[in-house]
Amino acid sequence: MMVVNEPERDQAILGAAAELLLRLGYNKLTMGDVADAVALHRGLVYLRFKSKDELVEAVARRELDRYSQRWSEHLLADPRGGSVASVYRAMAGALQQLPLAAAIVARDEEIFGKYLRRPGNLFENMKDLGTQSFLKDMQQAGAVRREVDTRAMAFILDALTPALRLTFPHSGGQSADTGLPAAEEVVDALAELLELGLTPPTGADLAAGKAIMLDALATARAKFFA
């Protein structure tokens, strides 16, 4: 009798669903498509995920966990990591490598369609990005100027984050609009603005700033994606 490795089967289902979600979008995606992609009877897919919404939410959670991990890796690899600018450089670097995560951050209507209007959807529970508390922690640690209005700055940064996605390649490898600046240009310009506007005149405490962000990402992974 063949023993089924259920965790591996689940990962195969999630991987196939992620690829199909990017290619077809939520509105056209069916559980049958996913079952066919992994050569399973659709009843087995429904046995593990009771609805398309449950499957899409599991896919999103897995992708956001990967995003948090990749974000941490970029931050650790940055020799200037620890300023607010470096946090956004790392974020953009991670999103460029993970198109589905970029679509999640942007609440991409083309990909998530009707799901975005579902009451109690996963994204409604993610409205508070914690940007203001992060900036306050950075301010207290000496990585952000004391006179910065963290509430106003958090509002601005949260509004800018989805816009970054417009410059990232789609899953097919082409940018959304060839008339837009390259993602690297946008990230570099944003990082320069943040360095000039937020970094204390004597320089940011990079070690403290990096520790704050890494701890925030670890906490998010443990709380939301476990």
Side-chain angles (χ1 to χ4, degrees), residues 204-222:
D205 185 333
L206 296 181
K210 184 180 288 189
I212 288 168
M213 189 59 199
L214 291 173
D215 181 66
L217 288 170
T219 299
R221 292 185 70 193

Side-chain angles (χ1 to χ4, degrees), residues 35 50-51 62 74 87 89 107 114 129 138 140 170 172 181 183 189 196 211:
K50 294 180 175 60
S51 67
R62 188 183 79 150
H74 278 276
V87 168
R89 281 197 302 269
R107 308 294 191 265
K114 295 177 182 177
L129 301 178
M138 294 286 277
Q140 292 173 3
H170 282 193
L196 292 171

